[in-house]
Amino acid sequence: KQFYENDYRIYFILSMTIFCAASAAYAFLFVATYVAENRGVLTRMVVFLAALPFSQLLPIFHWLESFHIETIDKMLWKTKILVPTVALAASSGCSKVEDQLWTMLQSAYTRHAGFMAEAIMEALPQAALQTYAAATGAAT
């Protein structure tokens, strides 16, 4: 907002580009994680477009879903398109005794994937842009 109001259009455009790229990345992560593997490209595109308006909330959804709350899992199963991560973990075929560390790492990744995507795609680029703007005097 500050860039737009102060007539720094290039910073505003860069900031909005970062925001849009991050939103697309969140929606893509949602599709890649939750759409059943046997679904086609058209279904994936429809889910991507449906998730896009809510994409800024998807990291929170990833985090909540990683706790395998029964209500959320049932909601995903009811769509007949989306699959909860608990089903993906069960179908991986890993032995619980021999792969406890791997299972723990996968669980941590699933729990924090949305927040890692947010940091990489939005927070770091926005911080760099704002730091550069401040250093060049555009953010005064």
Side-chain angles (χ1 to χ4, degrees):
K1 179 180 172 189
Q2 179 183 355
F3 293 141
Y4 184 79
E5 288 175 351
N6 292 341
D7 205 32
Y8 292 108
R9 301 279 188 237
I10 190 70
Y11 293 108
F12 176 74
I13 290 169
L14 287 172
S15 184
M16 291 307 298
T17 301
I18 292 168
F19 177 79
C20 291
S23 294
Y26 303 153
F28 177 80
L29 180 63
F30 180 81
V31 169
T33 304
Y34 297 107
V35 175
E37 288 182 14
N38 63 348
R39 297 298 176 170
V41 174
L42 183 61
T43 302
R44 291 175 186 276
M45 286 177 22
V46 169
V47 172
F48 175 82
L49 292 174
L52 205 51
F54 308 101
S55 60
Q56 292 293 315
L57 299 173
L58 292 177
I60 296 169
F61 177 80
H62 279 277
W63 178 69
L64 286 172
E65 195 278 333
S66 71
F67 291 106
H68 308 300
I69 300 168
E70 189 176 342
T71 307
I72 295 174
D73 289 347
K74 283 182 181 179
M75 178 190 70
L76 290 172
W77 281 119
K78 277 186 176 182
T79 65
K80 299 187 185 336
I81 296 171
L82 304 175
V83 178
T85 56
V86 70
L88 299 172
S91 68
S92 68
C94 291
S95 166
K96 289 189 179 194
V97 174
E98 66 185 40
D99 291 329
Q100 288 179 351
L101 179 60
W102 181 245
T103 303
M104 183 186 72
L105 289 172
Q106 284 181 319
S107 175
Y109 166 77
T110 301
R111 186 166 290 128
H112 301 294
F115 298 117
M116 288 187 288
E118 188 271 336
I120 293 167
M121 292 300 297
E122 191 170 10
L124 293 175
Q126 285 287 2
L129 178 65
Q130 291 171 5
T131 302
Y132 182 77
T136 60
T140 56

